[in-house]
Amino acid sequence: MDRVEKNWTKDIAKGLLGKTITGVSYMPEDEAKEFGWDHRPIILRLNDGSYLWPSMDDEGNNGGALFTTLDDLPVIPVL
């Protein structure tokens, strides 16, 4: 693991480890429009009040799908 990956992994772990998902919903249409997005991703609410949602890229150009290892739900699609 290079230094950049190690630093990102450390920062991400600090922000996410130990937290739990307390809510699941799709991004509301008006909020997606505020981002200039055509696709509405799933939003995961965490126990500290923060949110996670997938984007199609790291520049935030549109909502993205979320892939899983769940047998009955291999992908959480955008709407």
Side-chain angles (χ1 to χ4, degrees):
M1 182 182 314
D2 70 11
R3 184 173 48 102
V4 172
E5 181 178 350
K6 188 180 264 186
N7 287 338
W8 272 113
T9 301
K10 180 181 148 197
D11 289 346
I12 294 164
K14 183 179 175 183
L16 295 180
L17 285 178
K19 296 185 180 168
T20 57
I21 297 170
T22 60
V24 176
S25 63
Y26 271 94
M27 181 177 282
E29 287 183 29
D30 60 330
E31 194 170 323
K33 286 181 184 177
E34 286 180 28
F35 280 105
W37 291 358
D38 299 319
H39 304 295
R40 297 186 300 127
I42 197 73
I43 295 177
L44 306 175
R45 182 182 177 135
L46 303 180
N47 62 318
D48 67 351
S50 60
Y51 295 86
L52 301 173
W53 63 88
S55 173
M56 68 180 275
D57 59 31
D58 58 356
E59 294 177 341
N61 285 311
N62 216 330
L66 185 63
F67 289 83
T68 80
T69 58
L70 303 170
D71 290 337
D72 295 335
L73 187 65
V75 64
I76 300 171
V78 294
L79 297 180

